[in-house]
Amino acid sequence: MSLLTRPRGLPGAQAPGRPAPRTPRMRPWTPYAFLAPYLVLFAVFMLAPIAFGGWTSLHEWDINLPAKPFVGLRNYADLFDPADVDGARFWTAMRATAIFTVASVPLLIVLPLLVALLMNGRFKGRDLYRAVYFAPYVLGVAVVGLVWRFLLDGNIGLVNHYLGLDVQWTTAVPPAWVALVGVTVWWTLGLNSVIFLAGLQDIPRELHEAAMVDGASAWHRFRAVTLPGLRPVTVFVVNATILASANMFGQSYLITGGAPADQTKTAIYLIAETGLRQFDMGTASAMSFVLAGCLMVVSALVFGAFRGRSKP
Amino acid sequence: MSSSLSRRSFLGLSGAVGLTALTACGGGTKIGAGSGSPASAAPTFSGGEYTGPKVTLDYWNGFTGGDGPHMRAMLETFNKQFAGRIEVRNVTRRWEDLYPAMPTAIAAGKGPDVAVIHNDWVGTFAARRTLLPLDDVVGALSLSEADFIPAVWNAGVYQGKRYSVPLDVHCLGDYWNRAHLQKIGLSEAPADRAGYEDALAQLKKAGIAAPFWMPNKWPAHLMFMSLLWQHGGELYSDDGTRALWGGEPGVRALSWMVEQIDKGFSPAQVAQDSQYAAFKNDKVSFTWDGIWQINDLKTNARSLQWGLGPVPNIGGTAAVWSSSHNFVMTSQAGKDGDKVQAAKFFIDHMGRLSTEWAKAGMIPARNSAREDPAVAELPQIRLAADLDSFRFLPALPGVGDVQSKALELAVAKAVLKQASPSEALKEGVATANKLLADNKRKYAR
């Protein structure tokens, strides 16, 4: 490996007192050479498609019409024009995404944390309990969607039958939101729980013991030891959950079909429909960029919030 | 290592790798740019058997319901009969997945060579250059308008060229629960408005809590269109620039649908497909659905006693939404002259089997085939007694988008009581007119 080492002796073997030799200087391009394999993949599979998507969004780009005229920013302007067909549909969809995210993220943070705290205890059948909570996550969205669509059906579904209710879980809001959030929590709770559990197991026992010696109650230990110890994990979980919720598609596609009248049609659902069913790639790309921009802002805010609190 | 690979050459090399990858990527995404080579290269079809070298045809269709097994059986026979010359590979997927996938798959060379599509998609796909004209097949088959339902026949023509050969016609029908009707002393569904509404009221009295469930999604828009035509309305202007379904007939049609909920004949906010599931489970007395459900009911609801008749005449003029399955040849086949010939032969051959196909629950498109005694006995044929009542969606390019973004949404909004019928239609028509203008511009190029 002539890239890094120099022919002389090991650095650690030098006698004390002698002036330390200059650290072996790396050739300036060495780090880039190591990064290159990933950078190539990143460029080909991330940067290029993003750039291509940006280019597409500036055209009236129908994937199988030969003419793809350049329209500048008109696709974006249309999206911000409430009188435009796509603009109106897009903001209805963004609203649906926002409602779902705001409703599901807190539940997907708090409940998994509680489950993780329980799973972290010592009791009989713990492994079974862990497996049971994680089990739904193993199912694909198609299975989850189809099963719940029939369970939740307002007129012939088992949920209403057993609960003796008459609620239209799939065709009326807000029940449809309750249903979609409920199904999503049931489905993905296990993943966040497992991540929290790993975080909990990373908190050194000594901290808890020290706190106990100081006479801290369980609640105090939770506030002063567990929560701060989980901070890095929580930042990750919050961000990942926000992004996952904002990208919700399968549940509403399968369970409500966007009903009632497109009110639960999320942004990703609309983008997929516009681009892949109506072939209007230009508009769909513009929608994607607007959505991505919004998500970047939200992520930045989340990071900012957590960083702000970590300062004394 | 470092000596054998200088920095400059390394950078050059990685740059080159990156560039090649980028160009490759760019090439791959350039789908669809009018990639169909002109069909004129292939010799015209003049009937008779295919005589060229062995070819494989990819054949796509959406026969996922009770009609699927029949199509597969017909293909097996075809493949056996022409083994060693033509092999047809069948791909069946749901219509709503097939249509979006077809143009892209064809552009990538992985799509069908022949396919079956609905009449209202012919215009869209012809404008997208996904299809190749079939005028010579029609000429060779000496097919003529006289042997077909005119609306079906004319739907295959786009800008003066024929792109499709009709296989069948199918329409919305009125299914009824025999046991329920017996309770009120009827043997079949009444065909007029007063009788129908009276029957519903009596069924409710007889203990059927909700005899006629009103869907908000499929097939709600088919019901709406049927009722619209019955009330004397029209869908779109002839030049395809204006939506006409929001006028007085449309409001009356949609109001009648909503009325069924107000009168308690239907529960509110019926979820997708549950009206049909409830019918199969003996809970519903009437449901309007396509005749393609015949075989599903026969196989999956054996204990249910049901009957099928034409959709009742609610609005005054007998009219019902109809559609037809049509054979088309795609621009993918156009790249190979032998495939074109084989595909035309296949379409010709299958088109003659419409009697066999009728057993899949469809109505043969050819007048002569409907008179065949083997077909005349089938339950769906009585629906074709009045051919003038069959109405079709116009083959405007992009009409599918207008339907789903505007008409279907308006119907759903009204049925779910988010807006009154007239408000929902007014809003829908405004959207539809914008989309029609967009389409006009888009497909004119």
Side-chain angles (χ1 to χ4, degrees), chain A residues 62 64 83 171 257 263 277, chain B residues 96 103 128 217 269 418 434:
Chain A
D62 188 304
N64 38 46
T171 51
Q263 285 196 34
R277 293 203 174 260
Chain B
E96 61 261 45
R128 282 175 182 281
K217 290 197 167 233
Q269 300 169 327
Q418 297 196 328
K434 282 183 209 164

Side-chain angles (χ1 to χ4, degrees), chain A residues 1-3 27-29 32-33 36 40 43-44 48-49 52 60-69 74 82-86 89 149-150 153-156 168 170-173 253-263 269 273-274 276-280, chain B residues 1-2 5-7 10 14 17-18 21-22 25 29 31-34 94 96-97 99-101 103-104 107 121 125 127-130 213 216-217 267-274 277-278 283 401 404-405 409 412-413 416 418 431 434-435 438 441-443 445:
Chain A
M1 289 302 288
S2 57
L3 287 177
R27 285 159 220 276
W29 51 266
Y32 302 104
V40 168
V44 172
F52 184 63
E60 188 177 319
W61 192 292
D62 188 304
I63 40 181
N64 38 46
L65 282 183
K68 298 180 170 53
R74 207 189 68 207
D84 185 77
V85 176
D86 289 314
R89 281 159 61 85
R149 174 173 141 198
F150 287 111
D153 189 293
N155 294 305
I156 53 172
Q168 296 298 333
T170 57
T171 51
V173 283
Y253 182 70
L254 290 162
I255 296 174
T256 64
D262 282 2
Q263 285 196 34
Y269 187 163
E273 195 181 81
T274 309
L276 299 175
R277 293 203 174 260
Q278 285 143 10
F279 310 122
D280 190 354
Chain B
M1 233 159 75
S2 65
L5 184 66
S6 77
R7 173 188 174 191
F10 175 84
S14 49
V17 169
L22 276 177
C25 180
T29 43
I31 30 185
R94 301 187 310 159
E96 61 261 45
D97 297 328
Y99 290 129
T104 353
W121 282 87
F125 282 153
R128 282 175 182 281
R129 302 189 200 174
T130 307
W213 290 22
N216 81 86
K217 290 197 167 233
Q269 300 169 327
V270 172
Q272 192 168 8
D273 294 340
S274 53
K283 281 189 160 184
D401 291 353
S404 68
K405 282 182 180 176
L409 198 63
K413 274 188 180 165
L416 293 170
Q418 297 196 328
T431 308
K434 282 183 209 164
L435 292 168
D438 270 358
R441 196 173 41 77
K442 185 164 140 187
Y443 291 103
R445 278 197 288 271

